[in-house]
């Protein structure tokens, strides 16, 4: 079985992290976002994943090579010279998707995180026997998603992308299973699957919705990235991997919702959590307080700093006695001088910050 992951798009809402690398490669819980998906696809028996790329394909290809070996799955590329939207890439990869002995394939948005119950999706899809199934989940703010209205058995009666008026709160989770026939509906041109294909399929009773069990989040924006991190760290699967402070540890872990890469070094008297991810080769000084925060690989955090509700991009350095708060995001290789306070700053890659930032904003 094959899968296509929609990787294109500039990932502007996740800047400054996506100024250096494509969104799917941004580390989430110490693995590129897309690797969480590739792992799940491999586990359900997929043999090939087609990455539909329209931005920085070379970066993508180089980085993915090592994962192809690690996960023993074939990763191929379908490169758009100009963005084809969310359906156009299926037409572009038509021949690759047809050349497979299973009559269906998965399609995933690259920025959604959940427990990926893909085997259940296959069972549900086969049971109703129609052309497509999309996974749906409930959210409080449906206006930034695609909303579905269904019959009791899951048949979608209405699909409205980013509705201006309230239609319902069950939304498209960005995980699909389609029969190959869907390819006959899609022309080779920029097309939105949500605006041009789903409404047509649902009007003929060919699109079904399956409720996604467990957590779900689109992590394509900093605030949601942190919410998604908290959800993942609270999920049963990740509880096993969470760091339990050893009896004699010189630091304290709050609530067992802390994921620390084994290579990270943590100083004396630190208090970590709830909800913290610490990446590979990170060095944390003494007495550091971290809460609701991701520190990406190769960062250094100076002693007695406090970081809360923030994302520290890879290879960055935060000095001593600093305070980062209120969805501060440091891009790659940012340097924060000792004693600096940042309140909601988005700091562009390779920048040095020597002064306090008191109001949220972008700093270049
Ligand atoms: N190859 C390719 N080419 N991929 C693209 C393109 C393109 O031109 N445009 C967007 N994508 C990819 C994005 O990288 C992402 O993985 C996926 O398509 C969806 O695009 P987003 O830009 O993240 O859309 P969204 O978050 O506003 O809405 C979509 O996702 C929601 C769930 O998170 C829609 O599918 C909604 O219906 C859905 O609820
Ligand atoms: Mg998105």
């Amino acid at each position: 079985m094959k899968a296509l992951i929609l990787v294109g798009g500039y990932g502007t809402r996740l800047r400054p992290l996506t100024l250096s690398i494509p969104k799917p490669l941004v580390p989430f819980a110490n693995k590129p976002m897309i690797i969480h998906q590739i792992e799940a696809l491999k586990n359900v028996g997929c043999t090939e994943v087609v990455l539909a790329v329209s931005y920085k394909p070379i970066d993508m290809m180089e980085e993915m090579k090592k994962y192809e070996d690690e996960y023993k799955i074939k990763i191929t590329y379908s490169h758009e010279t100009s963005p084809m939207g969310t359906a156009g890439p299926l037409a572009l990869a038509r021949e690759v998707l047809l050349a497979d002995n299973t009559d269906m394939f998965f399609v995933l948005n690259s920025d959604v995180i959940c427990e990926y119950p893909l085997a259940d999706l296959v069972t549900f899809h086969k049971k109703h026997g129609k052309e497509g199934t999309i996974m749906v989940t409930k959210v409080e703010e449906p206006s930034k998603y695609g909303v579905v209205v269904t019959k009791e058995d899951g048949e979608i009666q209405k699909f409205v992308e980013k509705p201006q008026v309230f239609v319902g709160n069950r939304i498209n989770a960005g995980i699909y299973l389609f029969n190959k026939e869907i390819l006959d509906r899609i022309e080779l041109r920029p097309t939105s699957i949500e605006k041009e294909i789903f409404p047509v399929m649902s009007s003929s009773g060919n699109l079904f919705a399956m409720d996604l069990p467990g957590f779900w989040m689109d992590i394509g924006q900093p605030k949601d990235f942190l919410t998604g991190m908290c959800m993942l760290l609270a999920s049963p699967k990740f509880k096993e991997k969470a760091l339990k402070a050893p009896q004699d540890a010189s630091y304290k872990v709050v609530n067992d919702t802390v994921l620390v890469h084994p290579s990270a070094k943590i100083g004396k008297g630190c208090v970590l959590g709830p909800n913290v991810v610490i990446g590979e080769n990170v060095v944390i000084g003494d007495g550091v307080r971290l809460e609701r925060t991701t520190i990406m690989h190769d960062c250094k955090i100076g002693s007695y700093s406090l970081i809360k509700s923030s994302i520290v991009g890879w290879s960055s350095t935060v000095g001593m006695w600093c305070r980062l708060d209120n969805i501060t995001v440091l891009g790659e290789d940012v340097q924060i001088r000792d004693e600096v306070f940042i309140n909601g700053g988005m700091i562009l890659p390779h920048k040095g910050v020597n002064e306090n930032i008191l109001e949220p904003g972008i700093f270049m």
Side-chain angles (χ1 to χ4, degrees):
M1 203 168 167
K2 293 190 182 182
L4 179 138
I5 306 183
L6 292 160
V7 169
Y10 297 105
T12 45
R13 291 171 294 182
L14 203 53
R15 284 178 183 163
L17 299 164
T18 45
L19 288 170
S20 315
I21 55 170
K23 181 163 72 172
L25 294 183
V26 170
F28 178 76
N30 291 346
K31 266 186 269 186
M33 281 184 191
I34 201 170
I35 295 302
H36 294 267
Q37 303 183 321
I38 289 181
E39 223 173 57
L41 290 166
K42 167 77 190 180
N43 288 343
V44 77
C46 274
T47 48
E48 180 175 344
V49 179
V50 183
L51 302 184
V53 218
S54 73
Y55 173 62
K56 296 201 172 182
I58 305 292
D59 293 16
M60 195 74 207
M61 288 158 93
E62 280 179 7
E63 180 69 18
M64 293 309 291
K65 245 184 246 149
K66 60 176 188 238
Y67 295 108
E68 206 174 354
D69 298 337
E70 189 180 333
Y71 291 97
K72 299 196 173 45
I73 188 165
K74 189 170 166 196
I75 298 174
T76 56
Y77 298 84
S78 174
H79 180 208
E80 297 146 49
T81 43
S82 61
M84 293 287 277
T86 45
L90 274 68
L92 192 65
R94 182 186 166 91
E95 297 312 317
V96 185
L97 293 170
L98 287 176
D100 183 57
N101 50 17
T102 336
D103 51 13
M104 53 194 159
F105 58 90
F106 292 103
V107 174
L108 271 68
N109 285 353
S110 64
D111 56 1
V112 296
I113 196 88
C114 63
E115 285 171 89
Y116 306 106
L118 301 177
D120 298 346
L121 175 60
V122 173
T123 310
F124 180 89
H125 182 77
K126 284 184 177 161
K127 203 165 155 206
H128 69 68
K130 292 291 167 63
E131 223 175 284
T133 307
I134 72 175
M135 284 195 151
V136 299
T137 185
K138 278 191 182 148
V139 294
E140 273 166 27
E141 233 186 89
S143 62
K144 54 179 182 174
Y145 305 105
V147 177
V148 299
V149 178
T150 70
K151 290 187 187 164
E152 210 146 273
D153 63 353
E155 186 190 311
I156 298 179
Q157 292 171 295
K158 211 156 130 187
F159 186 102
V160 191
E161 182 63 13
K162 311 220 165 58
Q164 300 291 307
V165 290
F166 187 82
V167 181
N169 65 349
R170 282 166 82 219
I171 62 116
N172 170 19
I175 300 167
Y176 321 130
L177 185 58
F178 298 131
N179 290 350
K180 285 175 175 172
E181 294 91 81
I182 193 181
L183 295 169
D184 297 334
R185 297 179 180 272
I186 306 171
E187 290 172 31
L188 189 60
R189 60 172 172 85
T191 309
S192 159
I193 203 163
E194 299 87 353
K195 292 184 185 152
E196 298 170 71
I197 309 296
F198 289 166
V200 180
M201 284 173 79
S202 52
S203 68
S204 58
N206 267 302
L207 194 61
F208 275 67
M210 178 190 146
D211 285 296
L212 177 70
F215 73 94
W216 176 88
M217 199 70 208
D218 178 328
I219 53 172
Q221 306 182 29
K223 186 170 167 268
D224 297 342
F225 182 99
L226 289 172
T227 306
M229 176 194 75
C230 297
M231 289 174 162
L232 183 107
L233 293 173
S235 70
K237 195 175 141 204
F238 266 79
K239 279 278 179 209
E240 302 156 20
K241 295 188 194 172
L243 172 79
K244 304 244 186 320
Q247 289 275 302
D248 59 348
S250 57
Y251 55 89
K252 203 176 134 198
V253 167
V254 185
N255 275 4
D256 292 340
T257 48
V258 177
L259 182 71
V260 179
H261 193 278
S263 64
K265 293 192 175 59
I266 298 166
K268 287 190 199 107
C270 291
V271 181
L272 312 178
N275 302 306
V276 167
V277 171
I278 296 174
E280 195 170 355
N281 298 325
V282 167
V283 180
I284 299 199
D286 294 337
V288 169
R289 178 78 184 94
L290 301 178
E291 194 182 325
R292 202 184 163 86
T293 281
T294 288
I295 311 282
M296 292 179 180
H297 60 88
D298 300 296
C299 287
K300 289 192 178 60
I301 310 296
S303 297
Y304 313 108
S305 286
L306 181 152
I307 308 181
K308 204 176 151 188
S309 298
S310 296
I311 305 172
V312 178
W314 57 98
S315 308
S316 292
T317 305
V318 175
M320 289 172 65
W321 298 105
C322 290
R323 180 169 163 201
L324 274 51
D325 204 343
N326 194 18
I327 327 247
T328 286
V329 186
L330 310 188
E332 173 190 11
D333 177 40
V334 166
Q335 323 290 327
I336 310 291
R337 209 193 63 186
D338 291 350
E339 295 175 28
V340 162
F341 167 49
I342 305 181
N343 173 30
M346 301 279 157
I347 319 292
L348 269 60
H350 314 294
K351 186 172 165 55
V353 180
N354 302 318
E355 314 249 324
N356 291 342
I357 294 173
L358 302 177
E359 293 301 327
I362 299 166
F363 299 86
M364 39 211 285

